[in-house]
Amino acid sequence: LLAGSPRAGKSWTARAIASRLQLEGYEVRQGSFVEEAERFLTDSAGAERVYVLDDPIGSREPHSDASARLAALSALCERIPANHRLVVAQSEQVLLQTRAASDLAACGLSGRAWLRLKPLSIKVAVDIWRSVAETQSIPKSSISRVAELIANEPGLRDPGALAYLAQTWSELHKDPLDEEILLQARRDASDFARALAMQAPGLRDLMTASALATTASDGVAVAELAFIVNGERDRPGLAP
């Protein structure tokens, strides 16, 4: 059971665990619904299996039925066969909201405690970068350059962003600027935001304001976000 703040590497860590088990012969699946995990893990057919359950009760805010999902997850933990595994990655704040708790220790499931993942240190982030970059045959000079950038840019200390950067490094030109490297590392999130804005035009201003006012490691107060969204108005305020 993995919990932590956004960008702490929960999903990346969960997938890394599953990847290691896959090398040992486990069949791997992933998703966000407890029901799917239950069908996969309680099926007596097949050999070793592992399911990665990513933010099953919500990623930013609790789902409307978050408590029911959490109860179902707790029940599932009691029914998993010995040769099957479940890896859960859940936003800590959403978990605390759902349980109406102030401490992660009060949120255990079926006698199992959550493991809190802290934001990556510079050393760990650099080690992850070097590992994923070497698998993509990125030049050593470029690997060292990004390692220096990681030391100066807290927003780049995200396992998912580092893995994406390594996988898409060939899309950058030969000698990219630091800003281009940072944008490339976040491009998957940017693409998702654009798609969301196209589907829900009303969110465009809010996401633009969030992009201006936040970084991967620094948030913004609601009042400040409201002021940016309503920039030309005399008094800030978000519409309901």
Side-chain angles (χ1 to χ4, degrees):
L1 302 176
L2 307 175
S5 60
R7 304 297 182 188
K10 302 179 297 298
S11 298
W12 185 88
T13 301
R15 294 185 183 112
I17 293 171
S19 178
R20 182 62 61 89
L21 290 173
Q22 189 175 43
L23 292 176
E24 297 179 7
Y26 279 73
E27 181 183 356
V28 177
R29 288 189 187 176
Q30 62 181 20
S32 297
F33 295 97
V34 178
E35 294 83 358
E36 292 179 0
E38 181 178 13
R39 285 194 295 270
F40 181 68
L41 294 176
T42 57
D43 185 354
S44 58
E48 290 82 2
R49 291 182 169 187
V50 58
Y51 196 97
V52 175
L53 194 56
D54 198 7
D55 282 325
I57 62 174
S59 57
R60 296 292 181 181
E61 295 289 338
H63 291 305
S64 58
D65 59 344
S67 294
R69 294 188 185 205
L70 201 57
L73 178 57
S74 181
L76 174 59
C77 289
E78 296 290 340
R79 301 176 54 205
I80 300 175
N83 63 336
H84 292 176
R85 300 286 184 270
L86 173 65
V87 184
V88 184
Q90 178 59 57
S91 168
E92 181 175 348
Q93 187 57 40
V94 171
L95 183 59
L96 293 175
Q97 284 183 253
T98 302
R99 277 294 180 87
S102 59
D103 189 345
L104 197 60
C107 300
L109 294 179
S110 301
R112 298 170 176 82
W114 291 86
L115 174 64
R116 176 185 286 112
L117 297 185
K118 299 179 180 179
L120 299 183
S121 66
I122 293 175
K123 181 182 183 305
V124 173
V126 169
D127 287 346
I128 290 174
W129 163 247
R130 291 189 183 279
S131 176
V132 296
E134 288 171 359
T135 63
Q136 300 295 325
S137 301
I138 295 175
K140 290 184 178 180
S141 59
S142 298
I143 294 177
S144 297
R145 182 182 171 192
V146 174
E148 294 177 2
L149 192 57
I150 290 171
N152 297 321
E153 292 287 346
L156 196 53
R157 297 169 205 161
D158 174 356
L162 293 173
Y164 182 83
L165 178 61
Q167 293 164 3
T168 60
W169 184 264
S170 61
E171 298 178 11
L172 293 167
H173 60 78
K174 186 176 181 181
D175 190 23
L177 299 173
D178 288 352
E179 291 78 7
E180 292 173 324
I181 293 174
L182 292 171
L183 285 172
Q184 183 69 15
R186 293 295 178 201
R187 200 182 71 182
D188 59 336
S190 299
D191 290 345
F192 173 75
R194 291 191 192 95
L196 188 60
M198 292 179 66
Q199 294 178 15
L203 293 178
R204 186 184 301 276
D205 290 344
L206 181 59
M207 288 190 292
T208 300
S210 298
L212 290 170
T214 66
T215 68
S217 56
D218 300 307
V220 62
V222 173
E224 294 173 346
L225 189 61
F227 182 79
I228 296 171
V229 170
N230 301 277
E232 77 283 1
R233 301 181 186 177
D234 292 334
R235 299 181 62 184
L238 288 174

